[in-house]
Amino acid sequence: MPYQTINPFNNKLIKEYQTHNDQQVEEALSTAHALYKSDWAQGDIKQRVKVLHKLSDLMASRVDELAEVVSVEMGKLIGQSRGEVQICADIAKFYAEKAEEFLKPVPYKSDLGEAWVEHHPIGVIMAVEPWNFPFYQLMRVLAPNLASGNSVIVKHASIVPHCAETFEKLVAEAGAPKGAYTNLFISQDQVASIIDDDRVQGVALTGSEKAGAIVAARAAGKLKKSTLELGGNDVFAVLDDADIDKAAKAGAQARVSNAGQVCTAAKRFIIHEKVADEFLKKFTEHFKALKMGDPLDKSTTLGPLSSADAVKTLSKQVDDAVKHGAKLHFGGKKVSDNPGNFFEPTILTHITRDNPAYFEEFFGPVAQVYVVKNDEELVKLANDSHYGLGGSLFTRDLTRARKLASQIETGMVYVNSPTDTAAELPFGGVKRSGFGRELSDLGIKEFVNQKLVVLAAKS
């Protein structure tokens, strides 16, 4: 696909970008590998975290400017774009302050002698990243790897090239040497060649299940480690003792944030039968109150989908769900009287297990509502999914919440809150949602050599 900036609010082409040829790819690999071999990567961590401090300050000082880049290019509401820029600044600051502690040697008691594990960089990391959080996804990979000494090469999504280019310039402005972070506008075949290259020692991908399977297989074929953050079909469970007003409001926001284009968005709403009617009524009212419009307008509460193709995919999914017996409770169609990529906020009910919608991820403002009789049915339904990324539980009984949270097969569970993210908390899933973790102390250790050193005991 060509690298283009097309404003999803009006589908106007803003700019096309020149792709990188194989010679430029080789130059990028050579520079990145040389940097990994240098004192920059192998020496004192303080020189690297200094860059992260500067990067954090740069992004924090340019929130409005950078947020507009995101909103114009992929349609995120301007307030949410500002939030994305700020969390990027927070992640850079977090690793600037914590990386040295996370990477310090860890002693182990052993009869064999004095033993400890050191943490060393492993080389060039190839990252393939998606469009829905065009700065945040990049920062999740860059910050821990830059701190540890790995060089990062990134292929960003073809519909957010301005964000990709802007982020690369920010990293350079923060003082990172050439090769520490390189953005490439390349093809899938070029990505495969980079993964095959001996100088590349790790692969990180955030994206679709299909893309993850292809990239992971390629990396595995070369015996290289990969981390995958893929799709989700997250549950939003409302128990019979929950605050329904709070749950309905939080649930609506959790489904339509970023126009529903979030891997950890609430997608399957599992409601206890005693409160199902009340929840659905209030939930629907929140959907009815949404205002579609320009993402740069502060009064807009539902922006466009990222592309015309995204609208086509979502339309087909909803139509197929209804054909297979789902009931269209609200919405369900592309907005036809607007040149942008708008899709009505939609609620589907009465979805049976033989409906293709039951196992699919809907990447847009479409909610599925299920009704259960008890906690056992809730857990069974929640776990009957190919995915296992995040989830939310709403209840006043925290003992009950702790028990249920432990039983749900996901990488993350939030109680009385929509799924969220923070620099200090690990992010990742299980099943077809991928493997590995980003952020926190876990994220920085995914691509380091945890080297054991033993000084033999005196005999």
Side-chain angles (χ1 to χ4, degrees), residues 299-322:
S299 67
T300 299
T301 53
L302 182 62
L305 297 187
S306 62
S307 67
D309 285 344
V311 175
K312 291 177 184 176
T313 298
L314 196 61
S315 297
K316 184 179 185 305
Q317 284 181 298
V318 171
D319 290 345
D320 285 349
V322 173

Side-chain angles (χ1 to χ4, degrees), residues 16 62 75 91 94 112 121 140 211 215-216 222 235 297 312 432 452:
E16 292 186 290
R62 299 180 189 173
I91 293 170
F94 174 77
L112 297 181
R140 286 198 329 200
V215 167
K222 296 297 179 178
V235 297
D297 184 340
K312 291 177 184 176
R432 295 186 193 175
L452 172 66

Side-chain angles (χ1 to χ4, degrees), residues 385-413:
S385 172
H386 299 318
Y387 297 105
L389 191 53
S392 298
L393 293 169
F394 277 72
T395 175
R396 290 185 171 93
D397 186 342
L398 298 187
T399 299
R400 187 181 181 190
R402 289 174 187 273
K403 179 181 178 181
L404 289 173
S406 296
Q407 293 175 328
I408 294 176
E409 298 168 352
T410 61
M412 303 169 281
V413 178

Side-chain angles (χ1 to χ4, degrees), residues 77-99:
L77 299 186
I78 189 64
Q80 293 173 15
S81 293
R82 291 192 185 102
E84 179 176 342
V85 176
Q86 187 57 58
I87 187 65
C88 287
D90 293 344
I91 293 170
K93 183 179 180 182
F94 174 77
Y95 281 111
E97 294 177 346
K98 297 290 187 179

Side-chain angles (χ1 to χ4, degrees), residues 236 238 251 255 266-272 275-281 283-284 287 326-327 329-330 346-352 357-358 366-372 381:
F236 188 100
V238 181
R255 177 62 285 208
K267 295 177 180 123
R268 295 183 297 151
F269 291 79
I270 304 177
I271 318 300
H272 193 285
V275 295
D277 290 343
E278 181 186 2
F279 175 85
L280 185 57
K281 178 183 177 182
F283 185 61
T284 306
F287 268 37
K327 290 189 177 181
H329 177 78
F330 184 74
T346 298
I347 301 172
L348 295 171
T349 62
H350 295 82
I351 297 172
T352 54
Y358 185 91
V366 179
Q368 302 180 15
V369 176
Y370 299 84
V371 179
V372 294
L381 179 56

